[in-house]
C-alpha cells in the first residue's frame, strides 16, 4: 500500500462503524462520494487488501509487443552490438520503422545486463555564489559572437564587462572577434571610467591565460610560466585574474548576453545602425539606460582604485631586444632609430624594452624605465597583434645585406616575428680566411706528428699559406 493509500483503512473503518459520514471521509481522502462508497464495498468483501489500487502489478497497456521486444533485443545483440543508446534508437526508427524511445532501449539493455558503451556523466553539483558586497571587488569579462547588426552589417563580437556586486554594465565594445586589441580597448574604457578593480573573472581564453604546454628552461627554474601580455598588464596594475572552468561559473555575464541579444539588437535596428563605428558610438547611451533600469545598489562602499598616470604606456605588448650597432631596434617590420644619448652616447648593444601599445605607438625604454625613443602608429587602422616570441632579435643593418656567392652562402629565411636572420660570413671574409688557414695548419701538424717529423714552429706557421 502506497503512502497515498495508507490513511484509507482507518477512515473506511470509521465510516463502516458509523462514526463519521461518507462526505467527511471523502473530504479527508480527497476523493468523491461515490468512490468512498465503492471503497466501503471492497472493504466488506476483501478487507484491507481491497483498498489497494487494482491496476497495481498489472502489465501496462502501452508496453511493447513481445515480437517487437524480441526483434530489438536481437538487433541490439547482433547487428548493432556496441552501439550507444541514442544511435541505436535512431537506427531502429529510421531503418526498421520501430517507434521506440531512448529510455525503452536503455531499459532493454539493462535487462540484458549489458554495460553502456559511453557512460553518461552525472550532472555536477553547483552551488549559488552570492554577489560581492562592494562595487569593484569583482568584474566579469567575456565576449559574445552574434548577429548584432542582423543583415545590415557584418557579424561582430561584443566584448563586455559587468560588475558582480551591482550587475551594472561597466564597458562594452564591438570587435570582429575576441582578440587582445579588443580586450585592451575594453579595459581602457573600464579603468578610465570607473577605476581599477580588485579582480577580474573570465574564461580560459589564450588572451588571458597560457594554454600551451611549452615550458622554457627559465620557466622551469621559476616553477611557473610567464604570463600573457594581458596577464603582465594585470600584474603591473595589481589586479588578480580568476579563470572560470565552466560557463556556469560566470553566469551573471552569460545571462547578460541573453538580455542584450534581445534588447540591444532591437535598439540598433530602430536606429538603423549598420556600421561598427556607429554601433560603438551608441553603446555609452545604451549602457546608461540599462544601468538605470537594472542596476542594484551595492551592500558596501565601492573599492575602485585610481589608475596610474602612465596607464596608456601599459596597455600593449612588451618585448626585450638589444640595440644594433647602428642604434636601431626592430620589431617585425617596424624599425626605430634611437637618437644620441647624453654627451653623444651610443646605445649600441644595450638591452632595452619595446612596448607596442594599443594605439599603435612603439616605445623604446631603458632598464630604468626612461623613454629613449617613440614612433607613432604605422597606419590609422592599426590592430595590436602579439608577436610569436617575447624576445625579439635585433637587426644589424637598416637594409638587407647583399647575398654571398651561392656556393658558400647559408642564408636562412626571416624569422616569424620579422627579425633579420643570422648570416654566415662570405667565403672571402677575413675571418673565414684566417679560420681556414688555422684548420689547414692543424691538419698538417697532425700529419707530421703521425709520420714522426718535427712539429712546425710558430714561425713556420705564420708563413704558412
Amino acid at each position: 500500500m502506497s503512502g497515498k493509500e495508507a490513511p484509507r483503512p482507518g477512515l473506511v473503518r470509521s465510516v463502516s462503524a458509523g462514526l463519521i459520514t461518507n462526505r467527511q471521509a471523502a473530504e479527508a481522502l480527497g476523493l468523491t462520494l461515490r468512490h468512498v462508497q465503492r471503497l466501503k464495498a471492497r472493504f466488506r468483501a476483501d478487507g484491507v487488501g481491497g483498498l489497494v489500487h487494482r491496476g497495481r502489478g498489472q502489465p501496462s497497456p502501452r508496453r511493447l509487443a513481445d515480437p517487437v521486444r524480441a526483434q530489438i533485443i536481437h538487433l541490439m545483440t547482433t547487428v548493432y552490438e556496441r552501439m550507444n543508446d541514442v544511435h541505436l534508437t535512431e537506427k531502429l526508427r529510421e531503418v526498421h520503422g520501430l517507434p521506440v524511445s531512448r529510455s525503452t532501449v536503455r531499459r532493454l539493455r539493462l535487462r540484458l545486463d549489458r554495460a553502456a558503451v559511453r557512460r553518461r556523466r552525472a550532472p555536477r553539483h553547483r552551488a549559488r555564489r552570492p554577489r560581492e558586497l562592494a562595487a569593484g571587488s569583482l568584474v566579469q569579462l567575456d565576449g559574445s559572437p552574434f548577429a548584432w547588426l542582423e543583415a545590415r552589417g557584418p557579424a561582430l563580437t561584443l566584448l563586455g564587462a559587468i560588475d558582480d556586486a551591482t550587475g551594472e554594465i561597466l564597458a562594452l565594445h564591438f570587435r570582429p572577434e575576441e582578440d587582445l586589441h579588443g580586450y585592451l580597448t575594453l579595459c581602457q574604457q573600464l579603468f578610465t571610467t570607473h577605476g581599477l578593480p580588485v579582480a577580474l573573472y573570465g574564461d580560459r581564453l589564450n588572451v588571458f591565460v597560457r594554454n600551451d604546454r611549452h615550458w622554457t628552461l627559465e620557466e622551469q627554474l621559476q616553477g611557473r610560466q610567464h604570463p600573457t601580455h594581458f596577464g603582465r598588464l594585470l600584474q603591473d596594475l595589481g589586479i588578480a585574474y580568476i579563470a572560470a572552468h565552466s560557463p556556469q561559473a560566470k553566469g551573471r555575464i552569460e545571462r547578460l548576453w541573453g538580455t542584450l541579444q534581445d534588447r540591444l539588437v532591437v535598439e540598433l535596428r530602430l536606429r538603423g545602425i549598420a556600421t561598427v563605428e556607429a554601433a560603438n558610438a551608441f553603446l555609452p547611451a545604451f549602457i546608461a539606460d540599462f544601468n538605470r533600469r537594472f542596476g542594484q545598489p551595492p551592500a558596501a562602499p565601492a573599492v575602485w582604485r585610481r589608475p596610474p598616470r602612465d596607464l596608456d604606456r601599459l596597455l600593449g605588448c612588451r618585448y626585450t631586444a638589444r640595440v644594433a650597432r647602428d642604434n636601431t631596434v626592430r620589431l617585425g617590420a617596424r624599425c626605430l632609430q634611437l637618437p644620441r644619448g647624453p654627451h653623444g652616447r651610443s646605445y649600441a648593444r644595450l638591452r632595452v624594452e619595446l612596448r607596442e601599445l594599443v594605439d599603435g605607438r612603439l616605445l623604446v625604454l631603458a632598464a630604468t624605465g626612461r623613454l629613449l625613443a617613440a614612433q607613432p602608429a604605422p597606419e590609422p587602422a592599426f590592430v595590436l597583434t602579439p608577436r610569436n616570441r617575447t624576445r625579439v632579435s635585433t637587426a644589424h643593418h637598416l637594409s638587407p645585406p647583399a647575398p654571398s656567392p651561392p656556393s658558400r652562402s647559408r642564408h636562412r629565411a626571416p624569422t616569424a616575428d620579422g627579425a633579420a636572420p643570422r648570416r654566415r660570413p662570405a667565403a672571402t671574409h677575413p675571418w673565414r680566411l684566417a679560420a681556414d688557414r688555422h684548420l689547414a695548419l692543424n691538419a698538417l701538424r697532425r700529419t707530421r706528428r703521425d709520420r714522426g717529423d718535427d712539429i712546425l714552429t710558430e714561425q713556420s706557421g705564420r708563413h704558412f699559406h
Side-chain angles (χ1 to χ4, degrees):
M1 185 172 292
S2 65
K4 183 180 179 180
E5 299 170 341
R8 291 183 178 181
L11 292 173
V12 173
R13 286 195 186 96
S14 299
V15 172
S16 302
L19 301 178
I20 60 175
T21 63
N22 293 341
R23 187 171 301 278
Q24 290 175 333
E27 292 177 354
L29 295 174
L31 302 176
T32 62
L33 188 60
R34 293 189 59 186
H35 194 54
V36 172
Q37 294 173 352
R38 283 195 293 267
L39 292 179
K40 287 171 57 179
R42 294 178 189 172
F43 182 73
R44 297 191 193 99
D46 303 328
V48 177
L51 302 179
V52 180
H53 195 281
R54 295 191 175 184
R56 183 168 302 160
Q58 301 296 327
S60 172
R62 296 183 295 176
R63 67 184 183 279
L64 287 176
D66 294 339
V68 176
R69 184 184 298 103
Q71 181 182 3
I72 295 176
I73 293 176
H74 173 72
L75 294 173
M76 182 186 299
T77 55
T78 56
V79 181
Y80 301 129
E81 189 176 9
R82 303 296 301 168
M83 184 177 289
N84 65 70
D85 298 342
V86 176
H87 196 184
L88 177 57
T89 303
E90 295 173 355
K91 291 297 182 182
L92 294 176
R93 289 180 177 179
E94 298 171 2
V95 178
H96 303 278
L98 299 176
V100 295
S101 62
R102 186 198 65 85
S103 59
T104 301
V105 173
R106 177 178 178 274
R107 188 163 50 250
L108 293 177
R109 176 178 58 79
L110 294 177
R111 187 173 300 176
L112 296 176
D113 198 17
R114 300 173 67 93
V117 178
R118 297 182 61 181
R119 293 185 176 274
R120 307 190 74 184
R121 183 181 299 177
R124 297 181 59 184
H125 174 267
R126 302 184 187 277
R128 179 177 178 83
R129 181 180 60 82
R131 291 180 179 270
E132 295 290 336
L133 300 179
S137 299
L138 184 65
V139 174
Q140 297 188 15
L141 294 178
D142 198 16
S144 174
F146 191 69
W148 297 100
L149 301 181
E150 298 175 319
R152 303 184 308 276
L156 300 175
T157 298
L158 182 60
L159 308 180
I162 182 175
D163 186 75
D164 188 81
T166 63
E168 295 182 350
I169 299 177
L170 303 177
L172 292 175
H173 184 65
F174 281 112
R175 286 289 298 168
E177 58 184 3
E178 285 188 88
D179 57 357
L180 177 64
H181 187 97
Y183 276 109
L184 288 181
T185 305
L186 184 75
C187 288
Q188 187 176 24
Q189 298 178 15
L190 171 64
F191 299 157
T192 55
T193 305
H194 300 276
L196 301 181
V198 177
L200 295 179
Y201 199 2
D203 51 21
R204 305 189 68 84
L205 186 69
N206 58 358
V207 174
F208 304 137
V209 295
R210 289 273 300 274
N211 294 325
D212 59 283
R213 298 184 178 180
H214 175 71
W215 286 63
T216 63
L217 179 59
E218 182 181 0
E219 292 173 343
Q220 294 178 18
L221 295 176
Q222 292 179 353
R224 58 184 179 86
Q225 287 182 311
H226 294 313
T228 62
H229 295 287
F230 191 86
R232 177 69 179 274
L233 168 67
L234 298 185
Q235 285 184 1
D236 293 342
L237 297 177
I239 301 175
Y241 184 79
I242 305 173
H245 293 274
S246 65
Q248 292 81 0
K250 49 186 181 64
R252 289 188 175 87
I253 196 168
E254 294 290 348
R255 291 190 293 271
L256 173 66
W257 296 136
T259 304
L260 296 187
Q261 289 172 9
D262 182 28
R263 285 176 167 265
L264 181 57
V265 172
V266 176
E267 296 293 339
L268 295 173
R269 184 197 312 148
L270 294 176
R271 289 163 177 79
I273 296 177
T275 62
V276 182
E277 294 77 11
N280 282 324
F282 168 69
L283 288 178
F286 178 81
I287 292 175
D289 181 73
F290 183 92
N291 293 340
R292 180 179 58 84
R293 296 176 184 273
F294 302 105
Q296 299 182 11
V303 293
W304 296 106
R305 293 173 293 147
R306 181 179 301 176
R309 296 181 179 179
D310 60 344
L311 177 64
D312 58 336
R313 291 190 180 184
L314 301 178
L315 297 171
C317 299
R318 304 184 185 185
Y319 311 94
T320 57
R322 192 177 294 276
V323 181
R325 295 181 182 273
D326 55 359
N327 287 275
T328 59
V329 288
R330 279 186 181 272
L331 182 62
R334 305 181 67 173
C335 180
L336 183 59
Q337 178 72 54
L338 300 185
R340 292 183 177 182
H343 308 289
R345 175 188 173 185
S346 173
Y347 296 107
R349 313 305 299 166
L350 179 67
R351 178 72 66 179
V352 294
E353 181 183 22
L354 302 179
R355 294 189 183 184
E356 194 172 21
L357 305 182
V358 69
D359 57 5
R361 289 181 298 160
L362 179 61
L363 307 182
V364 181
L365 287 83
T368 58
R370 184 169 63 91
L371 181 64
L372 301 180
Q375 185 183 72
E379 54 186 10
F382 173 81
V383 176
L384 180 64
T385 304
R387 310 287 174 171
N388 292 334
R389 296 185 299 173
T390 55
R391 291 189 175 182
V392 182
S393 303
T394 57
H396 298 282
H397 300 277
L398 289 177
S399 58
S404 303
S407 59
R408 301 296 298 273
S409 63
R410 293 186 180 181
H411 288 285
R412 294 186 297 174
T415 57
D417 53 9
R422 296 181 179 179
R423 298 179 297 103
R424 185 165 182 164
T428 57
H429 197 281
W431 294 352
R432 294 287 297 275
L433 295 177
D436 292 344
R437 287 197 299 268
H438 181 70
L439 293 176
L441 179 60
N442 289 340
L444 182 58
R445 284 177 175 175
R446 287 193 297 269
T447 303
R448 291 199 172 190
R449 186 184 299 111
D450 295 340
R451 292 186 306 180
D453 298 344
D454 295 335
I455 300 177
L456 290 178
T457 62
E458 293 297 332
Q459 183 177 1
S460 64
R462 285 195 297 269
H463 294 284
F464 177 77
H465 294 286

